[in-house]
Coordinates of all heavy atoms in Angstrom, one line a residue:
V214 N -3.9 -5.7 -5.2 CA -3.2 -5.8 -3.9 C -3.5 -7.1 -3.2 O -4.7 -7.3 -3.0 CB -3.6 -4.6 -3.0 CG1 -2.9 -4.7 -1.6 CG2 -3.2 -3.3 -3.6
R215 N -2.5 -7.9 -3.0 CA -2.8 -9.2 -2.3 C -1.7 -9.5 -1.4 O -0.5 -9.3 -1.7 CB -2.9 -10.3 -3.4 CG -4.1 -10.1 -4.2 CD -4.6 -11.4 -4.7 NE -6.0 -11.4 -5.2 CZ -6.4 -10.9 -6.4 NH1 -5.5 -10.5 -7.2 NH2 -7.6 -10.9 -6.7
P216 N -1.9 -10.1 -0.3 CA -3.2 -10.3 0.3 C -3.6 -9.1 1.1 O -2.9 -8.1 1.2 CB -2.9 -11.4 1.3 CG -1.5 -11.2 1.7 CD -0.8 -10.7 0.5
T217 N -4.9 -9.1 1.6 CA -5.3 -7.9 2.3 C -5.5 -8.2 3.8 O -5.8 -7.4 4.6 CB -6.7 -7.4 1.8 OG1 -7.6 -8.5 1.9 CG2 -6.6 -6.9 0.4
K218 N -5.1 -9.4 4.2 CA -5.0 -9.8 5.6 C -3.6 -10.4 5.8 O -3.3 -11.4 5.2 CB -6.1 -10.9 5.9 CG -6.3 -11.2 7.3 CD -7.5 -12.1 7.5 CE -8.0 -12.2 8.9 NZ -9.1 -13.1 9.0
V219 N -2.8 -9.7 6.6 CA -1.4 -10.0 6.8 C -1.0 -9.9 8.2 O -1.7 -9.3 9.1 CB -0.6 -9.0 5.9 CG1 -0.8 -9.2 4.4 CG2 -0.8 -7.6 6.3
S220 N 0.2 -10.3 8.5 CA 0.9 -10.1 9.8 C 2.1 -9.2 9.5 O 2.6 -9.0 8.4 CB 1.4 -11.5 10.3 OG 0.3 -12.3 10.5
S221 N 2.6 -8.6 10.6 CA 3.7 -7.7 10.5 C 4.9 -8.5 9.9 O 5.1 -9.6 10.3 CB 4.1 -7.2 11.9 OG 3.1 -6.3 12.4
G222 N 5.6 -7.8 9.0 CA 6.8 -8.5 8.4 C 6.5 -9.2 7.1 O 7.4 -9.5 6.4
E223 N 5.2 -9.5 6.9 CA 4.9 -10.2 5.6 C 4.9 -9.2 4.5 O 5.0 -8.0 4.7 CB 3.5 -10.9 5.7 CG 3.4 -12.1 6.6 CD 2.1 -12.7 6.6 OE1 1.1 -12.1 6.2 OE2 2.0 -13.9 7.1
F224 N 4.8 -9.8 3.3 CA 4.9 -8.9 2.1 C 3.5 -8.8 1.4 O 2.7 -9.8 1.4 CB 5.8 -9.5 1.0 CG 7.3 -9.2 1.4 CD1 8.0 -10.1 2.2 CD2 7.9 -8.1 0.9 CE1 9.3 -9.8 2.6 CE2 9.2 -7.8 1.3 CZ 9.9 -8.7 2.1
I225 N 3.2 -7.7 0.9 CA 2.0 -7.4 0.1 C 2.4 -7.2 -1.3 O 3.3 -6.3 -1.6 CB 1.2 -6.2 0.6 CG1 0.7 -6.5 2.0 CG2 0.1 -5.8 -0.3 CD1 0.0 -5.3 2.7
A226 N 1.8 -7.9 -2.3 CA 2.2 -7.7 -3.7 C 1.2 -6.7 -4.3 O 0.0 -6.8 -4.2 CB 2.1 -9.0 -4.5
I227 N 1.7 -5.6 -4.9 CA 0.9 -4.6 -5.6 C 1.2 -4.7 -7.1 O 2.4 -4.5 -7.5 CB 1.3 -3.2 -5.0 CG1 1.0 -3.1 -3.5 CG2 0.5 -2.1 -5.8 CD1 1.6 -1.9 -2.9
S228 N 0.2 -5.0 -7.9 CA 0.3 -5.1 -9.3 C -0.5 -4.0 -10.0 O -1.7 -4.0 -9.7 CB -0.1 -6.5 -9.8 OG 0.8 -7.4 -9.2
I229 N 0.0 -3.3 -10.9 CA -0.7 -2.2 -11.6 C -0.9 -2.6 -13.0 O 0.0 -3.0 -13.7 CB 0.1 -0.9 -11.5 CG1 0.6 -0.6 -10.1 CG2 -0.7 0.3 -12.1 CD1 -0.5 -0.5 -9.0
N230 N -2.1 -2.4 -13.5 CA -2.5 -2.6 -14.9 C -1.9 -1.4 -15.8 O -2.4 -0.3 -15.7 CB -4.0 -2.7 -15.1 CG -4.4 -3.1 -16.5 OD1 -3.7 -2.8 -17.5 ND2 -5.5 -3.7 -16.6
K231 N -0.9 -1.7 -16.6 CA -0.2 -0.6 -17.3 C -1.2 0.0 -18.3 O -0.9 1.2 -18.7 CB 1.0 -1.2 -18.1 CG 2.1 -1.7 -17.3 CD 3.2 -2.3 -18.1 CE 4.3 -2.8 -17.3 NZ 5.4 -3.4 -18.1
E232 N -2.2 -0.6 -18.8 CA -3.1 -0.1 -19.7 C -4.1 0.9 -19.1 O -4.7 1.7 -19.8 CB -3.9 -1.2 -20.4 CG -3.0 -2.1 -21.3 CD -3.7 -3.2 -21.9 OE1 -4.9 -3.2 -21.9 OE2 -3.0 -4.1 -22.5
K233 N -4.3 0.8 -17.8 CA -5.3 1.7 -17.1 C -4.6 2.8 -16.2 O -5.3 3.8 -16.1 CB -6.2 0.8 -16.2 CG -7.0 -0.1 -17.0 CD -8.0 -0.8 -16.2 CE -8.9 -1.7 -17.0 NZ -9.9 -2.4 -16.2
L234 N -3.5 2.6 -15.7 CA -2.9 3.5 -14.8 C -1.4 3.7 -15.1 O -0.7 2.9 -15.6 CB -3.0 3.0 -13.3 CG -4.4 3.0 -12.7 CD1 -4.4 2.2 -11.4 CD2 -4.9 4.4 -12.5
S235 N -0.9 4.9 -14.6 CA 0.5 5.1 -14.7 C 1.2 4.4 -13.5 O 0.5 3.8 -12.7 CB 0.8 6.7 -14.5 OG 0.3 7.1 -13.2
P236 N 2.6 4.4 -13.5 CA 3.2 3.6 -12.4 C 2.9 4.1 -11.0 O 2.5 5.3 -10.8 CB 4.7 3.9 -12.7 CG 4.8 4.3 -14.1 CD 3.5 5.0 -14.4
L237 N 3.0 3.2 -10.1 CA 2.8 3.6 -8.7 C 3.8 4.6 -8.2 O 5.0 4.4 -8.4 CB 2.9 2.3 -7.8 CG 2.7 2.5 -6.3 CD1 1.2 2.9 -6.0 CD2 3.0 1.1 -5.6
E238 N 3.4 5.7 -7.6 CA 4.3 6.8 -7.2 C 4.6 6.8 -5.7 O 5.6 7.2 -5.2 CB 3.7 8.1 -7.6 CG 3.7 8.3 -9.1 CD 3.1 9.7 -9.5 OE1 2.5 10.4 -8.6 OE2 3.2 10.1 -10.6
G239 N 3.6 6.3 -4.9 CA 3.8 6.3 -3.5 C 2.7 5.5 -2.8 O 1.7 5.1 -3.3
V240 N 3.0 5.1 -1.5 CA 2.1 4.3 -0.7 C 2.1 4.9 0.7 O 3.1 5.3 1.3 CB 2.6 2.8 -0.6 CG1 1.7 2.0 0.4 CG2 2.7 2.2 -1.9
Q241 N 0.9 5.1 1.2 CA 0.7 5.6 2.6 C -0.3 4.7 3.3 O -1.3 4.3 2.7 CB 0.1 7.0 2.6 CG 1.1 8.1 2.0 CD 0.4 9.4 1.9 OE1 -0.7 9.6 1.3 NE2 1.1 10.4 2.4
W242 N 0.0 4.5 4.6 CA -0.9 3.7 5.5 C -1.4 4.7 6.5 O -0.6 5.4 7.1 CB -0.1 2.6 6.1 CG 0.2 1.4 5.3 CD1 0.8 1.4 4.0 CD2 0.0 0.1 5.6 NE1 0.9 0.2 3.6 CE2 0.5 -0.7 4.5 CE3 -0.5 -0.6 6.7 CZ2 0.4 -2.1 4.5 CZ3 -0.6 -2.0 6.7 CH2 -0.1 -2.7 5.6
F243 N -2.7 4.5 6.8 CA -3.3 5.3 7.9 C -4.1 4.4 8.8 O -4.7 3.4 8.3 CB -4.3 6.4 7.3 CG -3.6 7.5 6.6 CD1 -3.2 7.4 5.3 CD2 -3.3 8.7 7.3 CE1 -2.6 8.5 4.7 CE2 -2.7 9.7 6.7 CZ -2.3 9.6 5.4
S244 N -4.1 4.7 10.1 CA -4.9 4.0 11.0 C -6.4 4.5 10.9 O -6.6 5.5 10.2 CB -4.4 4.3 12.5 OG -4.7 5.6 12.8
L245 N -7.3 3.8 11.5 CA -8.7 4.3 11.4 C -9.0 5.6 12.1 O -10.0 6.2 11.9 CB -9.6 3.2 11.9 CG -9.7 1.9 11.1 CD1 -10.8 0.9 11.6 CD2 -10.1 2.3 9.6
T246 N -8.0 6.0 12.9 CA -8.1 7.3 13.6 C -7.6 8.5 12.7 O -7.7 9.6 13.0 CB -7.4 7.4 14.9 OG1 -6.0 7.1 14.7 CG2 -8.0 6.3 15.9
G247 N -7.1 8.1 11.5 CA -6.5 9.1 10.6 C -5.1 9.4 10.7 O -4.5 10.2 10.0
K248 N -4.4 8.7 11.6 CA -2.9 8.9 11.8 C -2.1 8.2 10.7 O -2.3 7.0 10.5 CB -2.5 8.5 13.2 CG -1.1 8.6 13.5 CD -0.7 8.1 14.8 CE 0.8 8.2 15.0 NZ 1.2 7.6 16.3
E249 N -1.2 8.9 10.1 CA -0.3 8.2 9.1 C 0.7 7.4 9.9 O 1.4 7.9 10.8 CB 0.4 9.3 8.3 CG 1.2 8.6 7.2 CD 1.9 9.7 6.3 OE1 1.3 10.4 5.6 OE2 3.2 9.7 6.4
V250 N 0.8 6.1 9.5 CA 1.7 5.2 10.2 C 2.8 4.7 9.4 O 3.8 4.1 9.9 CB 0.9 4.0 10.8 CG1 -0.1 4.5 11.9 CG2 0.2 3.2 9.8
Y251 N 2.7 4.9 8.1 CA 3.8 4.5 7.2 C 3.6 5.3 5.8 O 2.5 5.5 5.4 CB 3.7 3.0 6.9 CG 4.8 2.5 6.0 CD1 6.0 2.2 6.4 CD2 4.5 2.2 4.6 CE1 7.0 1.8 5.6 CE2 5.5 1.8 3.8 CZ 6.7 1.6 4.2 OH 7.7 1.1 3.4
S252 N 4.8 5.6 5.2 CA 4.7 6.3 3.9 C 6.0 6.0 3.2 O 7.1 5.9 3.8 CB 4.6 7.8 4.2 OG 4.6 8.5 3.0
I253 N 5.9 5.8 1.9 CA 7.0 5.7 1.0 C 6.7 6.4 -0.3 O 5.6 6.2 -0.8 CB 7.4 4.2 0.7 CG1 8.7 4.1 -0.1 CG2 6.3 3.4 0.1 CD1 9.4 2.8 -0.1
N254 N 7.6 7.2 -0.8 CA 7.3 8.0 -2.0 C 8.5 7.8 -3.0 O 9.4 7.1 -2.8 CB 7.3 9.5 -1.6 CG 6.1 9.8 -0.7 OD1 4.9 9.4 -1.0 ND2 6.3 10.3 0.5
Q255 N 8.3 8.5 -4.1 CA 9.3 8.4 -5.2 C 9.5 7.0 -5.8 O 10.6 6.6 -6.2 CB 10.6 9.0 -4.8 CG 10.5 10.5 -4.4 CD 11.8 11.1 -4.0 OE1 12.8 10.5 -3.9 NE2 11.8 12.4 -3.7
L256 N 8.4 6.3 -5.9 CA 8.4 5.0 -6.5 C 8.1 5.3 -8.0 O 7.5 6.3 -8.4 CB 7.3 4.1 -5.9 CG 7.5 3.7 -4.5 CD1 6.2 3.0 -4.0 CD2 8.7 2.9 -4.3
N257 N 8.4 4.3 -8.8 CA 8.0 4.4 -10.2 C 7.9 2.9 -10.7 O 8.6 2.4 -11.5 CB 9.1 5.1 -11.1 CG 8.7 5.3 -12.5 OD1 7.5 5.4 -12.8 ND2 9.6 5.4 -13.4
E258 N 6.8 2.3 -10.1 CA 6.7 0.8 -10.3 C 5.4 0.4 -10.8 O 4.4 0.9 -10.4 CB 7.0 0.1 -8.9 CG 8.3 0.5 -8.2 CD 9.5 -0.1 -8.9 OE1 9.3 -1.1 -9.6 OE2 10.6 0.4 -8.7
Y259 N 5.3 -0.7 -11.6 CA 4.1 -1.3 -11.9 C 3.9 -2.6 -11.1 O 2.8 -3.1 -10.9 CB 4.1 -1.7 -13.4 CG 3.8 -0.5 -14.3 CD1 4.8 0.0 -15.1 CD2 2.5 0.0 -14.4 CE1 4.6 1.1 -15.9 CE2 2.3 1.1 -15.3 CZ 3.3 1.6 -16.0 OH 3.1 2.7 -16.8
Q260 N 5.0 -3.1 -10.6 CA 5.0 -4.3 -9.7 C 5.8 -3.9 -8.4 O 6.9 -3.4 -8.6 CB 5.6 -5.5 -10.3 CG 5.0 -6.0 -11.6 CD 3.7 -6.7 -11.4 OE1 3.5 -7.4 -10.4 NE2 2.8 -6.5 -12.3
Y261 N 5.2 -4.0 -7.3 CA 5.9 -3.6 -6.1 C 5.6 -4.6 -4.9 O 4.4 -4.8 -4.7 CB 5.5 -2.2 -5.7 CG 6.3 -1.6 -4.5 CD1 7.6 -1.4 -4.6 CD2 5.6 -1.3 -3.3 CE1 8.3 -0.9 -3.5 CE2 6.3 -0.8 -2.2 CZ 7.6 -0.6 -2.3 OH 8.3 -0.1 -1.2
N262 N 6.6 -5.1 -4.3 CA 6.4 -6.0 -3.1 C 6.7 -5.2 -1.9 O 7.9 -4.8 -1.7 CB 7.3 -7.2 -3.2 CG 6.8 -8.2 -4.2 OD1 5.6 -8.4 -4.3 ND2 7.7 -8.7 -5.0
M263 N 5.7 -4.9 -1.1 CA 5.9 -4.1 0.1 C 5.9 -4.9 1.4 O 4.9 -5.7 1.5 CB 4.8 -3.1 0.1 CG 4.9 -2.1 1.3 SD 3.4 -1.1 1.4 CE 3.5 -0.8 3.1
Q264 N 6.9 -4.8 2.2 CA 6.9 -5.5 3.5 C 6.0 -4.7 4.5 O 6.2 -3.5 4.7 CB 8.3 -5.6 4.0 CG 8.3 -6.5 5.2 CD 9.8 -6.9 5.6 OE1 10.7 -6.3 5.2 NE2 9.9 -7.9 6.5
V265 N 5.1 -5.4 5.2 CA 4.3 -4.7 6.2 C 5.2 -4.3 7.4 O 6.0 -5.2 7.9 CB 3.2 -5.7 6.7 CG1 2.4 -5.1 7.8 CG2 2.3 -6.1 5.6
P266 N 5.2 -3.0 7.8 CA 6.1 -2.6 8.8 C 6.0 -3.4 10.1 O 4.9 -3.7 10.5 CB 5.7 -1.1 9.0 CG 5.0 -0.7 7.8 CD 4.4 -2.0 7.2
D267 N 7.1 -3.8 10.7 CA 7.1 -4.6 11.9 C 6.5 -3.9 13.1 O 5.9 -4.5 14.0 CB 8.6 -4.9 12.3 CG 9.2 -6.0 11.4 OD1 8.4 -6.8 10.8 OD2 10.4 -6.0 11.2
Q268 N 6.5 -2.6 13.2 CA 6.0 -1.9 14.3 C 4.5 -1.7 14.4 O 4.0 -1.2 15.3 CB 6.7 -0.5 14.5 CG 6.2 0.5 13.5 CD 6.9 0.5 12.1 OE1 7.6 -0.4 11.8 NE2 6.8 1.6 11.4
L269 N 3.8 -2.1 13.3 CA 2.4 -1.9 13.3 C 1.6 -2.9 14.2 O 1.8 -4.1 14.1 CB 1.8 -2.1 11.8 CG 2.1 -1.0 10.8 CD1 1.4 -1.3 9.5 CD2 1.6 0.3 11.3
P270 N 0.8 -2.3 15.1 CA 0.0 -3.2 15.9 C -1.1 -3.8 15.1 O -1.5 -3.3 14.0 CB -0.5 -2.3 17.0 CG -0.3 -0.9 16.6 CD 0.7 -0.9 15.5
S271 N -1.7 -4.9 15.6 CA -2.8 -5.5 14.9 C -4.0 -4.5 14.8 O -4.2 -3.7 15.7 CB -3.3 -6.7 15.8 OG -2.3 -7.7 15.8
G272 N -4.7 -4.6 13.7 CA -5.9 -3.7 13.5 C -6.1 -3.5 12.0 O -5.5 -4.1 11.1
L273 N -7.1 -2.6 11.8 CA -7.5 -2.3 10.4 C -6.8 -1.0 10.0 O -6.8 -0.1 10.7 CB -9.0 -2.2 10.4 CG -9.7 -1.9 9.0 CD1 -9.4 -3.0 8.0 CD2 -11.2 -1.7 9.2
Y274 N -6.3 -1.0 8.8 CA -5.6 0.1 8.2 C -6.1 0.4 6.8 O -6.7 -0.4 6.1 CB -4.1 -0.1 8.1 CG -3.5 -0.3 9.5 CD1 -3.4 -1.5 10.1 CD2 -2.9 0.8 10.2 CE1 -2.9 -1.7 11.4 CE2 -2.4 0.7 11.4 CZ -2.3 -0.6 12.0 OH -1.8 -0.7 13.2
V275 N -6.0 1.7 6.4 CA -6.3 2.0 5.0 C -5.0 2.4 4.3 O -4.2 3.2 4.8 CB -7.3 3.2 4.9 CG1 -7.6 3.6 3.5 CG2 -8.5 2.9 5.7
M276 N -4.7 1.7 3.2 CA -3.5 1.9 2.4 C -3.9 2.7 1.2 O -4.9 2.3 0.4 CB -2.9 0.6 1.9 CG -1.7 0.7 1.1 SD -0.8 -0.8 0.8 CE -2.0 -1.7 -0.1
Y277 N -3.3 3.8 0.9 CA -3.5 4.7 -0.2 C -2.4 4.5 -1.2 O -1.2 4.6 -0.9 CB -3.6 6.2 0.2 CG -4.8 6.5 1.0 CD1 -4.8 6.5 2.4 CD2 -6.1 6.7 0.4 CE1 -5.9 6.8 3.2 CE2 -7.2 7.0 1.2 CZ -7.1 7.0 2.5 OH -8.2 7.3 3.3
L278 N -2.8 4.2 -2.5 CA -1.8 4.0 -3.6 C -1.9 5.3 -4.4 O -3.0 5.6 -4.9 CB -2.2 2.8 -4.4 CG -2.3 1.5 -3.6 CD1 -2.9 0.4 -4.4 CD2 -1.0 1.1 -2.9
Q279 N -0.8 6.0 -4.6 CA -0.7 7.2 -5.4 C -0.3 7.0 -6.8 O 0.8 6.4 -7.0 CB 0.2 8.2 -4.6 CG -0.3 8.5 -3.2 CD 0.8 9.3 -2.5 OE1 2.0 9.3 -2.8 NE2 0.3 10.0 -1.5
F280 N -1.0 7.6 -7.7 CA -0.7 7.6 -9.2 C -0.8 9.0 -9.7 O -1.4 9.9 -9.1 CB -1.7 6.7 -9.9 CG -1.8 5.3 -9.4 CD1 -2.7 5.0 -8.4 CD2 -0.9 4.3 -9.8 CE1 -2.8 3.7 -7.9 CE2 -1.0 3.0 -9.3 CZ -1.9 2.7 -8.4
K281 N -0.4 9.2 -10.9 CA -0.6 10.5 -11.6 C -2.1 10.8 -11.7 O -2.5 12.0 -11.5 CB 0.1 10.6 -12.9 CG 1.5 10.7 -12.9 CD 2.1 10.8 -14.4 CE 3.6 10.9 -14.3 NZ 4.2 10.9 -15.6
E282 N -2.9 9.8 -11.9 CA -4.3 9.9 -12.2 C -5.1 10.2 -10.9 O -6.2 10.6 -10.9 CB -4.9 8.6 -12.8 CG -4.4 8.4 -14.2 CD -3.1 7.6 -14.2 OE1 -2.5 7.3 -13.2 OE2 -2.6 7.3 -15.3
G283 N -4.5 9.9 -9.7 CA -5.2 10.1 -8.5 C -4.8 9.1 -7.4 O -3.7 8.5 -7.5
V284 N -5.7 8.8 -6.5 CA -5.3 7.9 -5.4 C -6.4 6.8 -5.3 O -7.6 7.0 -5.4 CB -5.3 8.7 -4.1 CG1 -5.1 7.8 -2.9 CG2 -4.3 9.8 -4.1
L285 N -5.9 5.5 -5.1 CA -6.8 4.4 -4.8 C -6.6 4.0 -3.3 O -5.5 4.1 -2.8 CB -6.5 3.2 -5.7 CG -6.7 3.4 -7.2 CD1 -6.2 2.2 -7.9 CD2 -8.2 3.6 -7.5
S286 N -7.6 3.5 -2.7 CA -7.5 3.0 -1.3 C -7.9 1.6 -1.2 O -8.7 1.1 -1.9 CB -8.4 3.9 -0.4 OG -9.8 3.7 -0.7
K287 N -7.2 0.9 -0.2 CA -7.5 -0.5 0.1 C -7.5 -0.7 1.6 O -6.6 -0.1 2.2 CB -6.4 -1.4 -0.5 CG -6.5 -1.6 -2.0 CD -7.8 -2.3 -2.4 CE -7.5 -3.6 -2.9 NZ -8.7 -4.3 -3.4
K288 N -8.4 -1.5 2.1 CA -8.4 -1.8 3.5 C -7.5 -3.0 3.7 O -7.5 -3.9 3.0 CB -9.8 -2.1 4.0 CG -10.7 -0.9 4.0 CD -12.1 -1.3 4.6 CE -13.0 -0.1 4.5 NZ -14.4 -0.5 4.8
I289 N -6.6 -2.9 4.7 CA -5.7 -3.9 5.1 C -5.8 -4.3 6.5 O -5.9 -3.4 7.4 CB -4.2 -3.5 4.8 CG1 -4.0 -3.0 3.4 CG2 -3.2 -4.6 5.2 CD1 -4.0 -4.1 2.4
V290 N -6.0 -5.6 6.8 CA -6.1 -6.1 8.2 C -4.7 -6.7 8.6 O -4.2 -7.5 7.9 CB -7.1 -7.2 8.3 CG1 -7.2 -7.8 9.7 CG2 -8.5 -6.7 7.9
V291 N -4.2 -6.1 9.7 CA -2.9 -6.6 10.2 C -3.2 -7.5 11.4 O -3.9 -7.0 12.4 CB -1.9 -5.5 10.6 CG1 -0.7 -6.0 11.2 CG2 -1.6 -4.7 9.4
E292 N -2.8 -8.7 11.4 CA -3.1 -9.7 12.5 C -2.0 -9.7 13.5 O -0.9 -9.5 13.2 CB -3.4 -11.1 12.0 CG -4.5 -11.1 11.1 CD -4.8 -12.5 10.5 OE1 -3.9 -13.2 10.0 OE2 -5.9 -12.9 10.7

């Protein structure tokens, strides 16, 4: 996942290693208070360019990447 420090409207590139994981199935963003602020499901991608939602205020978020094998998390800073 690159970059991890972004502004609203910018793109984040998500690349999945085909040898280690199944395709990306979904992405969820949560604020540090635990509120879900963004979600997209029914993906089937090894490469995914995600636009940071315009409505997100600046701050620290946790992005969860969903796979058949489980969930990975990444911290994302929105400036």
Side-chain angles (χ1 to χ4, degrees):
V214 175
R215 291 210 163 81
T217 57
K218 193 173 192 180
V219 295
S220 298
S221 292
E223 289 185 342
F224 284 88
I225 295 176
I227 302 171
S228 298
I229 310 305
N230 184 334
K231 293 179 183 182
E232 296 176 10
K233 294 185 178 185
L234 291 170
S235 62
L237 180 65
E238 295 179 346
V240 177
Q241 293 176 308
W242 284 49
F243 287 86
S244 67
L245 290 184
T246 61
K248 179 182 176 189
E249 185 178 294
V250 295
Y251 180 80
S252 178
I253 185 166
N254 297 305
Q255 298 182 355
L256 298 173
N257 187 27
E258 304 287 340
Y259 284 105
Q260 302 285 325
Y261 184 66
N262 289 316
M263 182 189 155
Q264 188 172 15
V265 178
D267 288 330
Q268 74 273 18
L269 284 183
S271 298
L273 182 62
Y274 295 87
V275 179
M276 180 172 63
Y277 291 98
L278 306 172
Q279 300 169 338
F280 305 91
K281 285 182 184 177
E282 295 86 356
V284 177
L285 295 175
S286 63
K287 287 297 249 182
K288 291 181 184 173
I289 303 291
V290 176
V291 177
E292 299 181 306

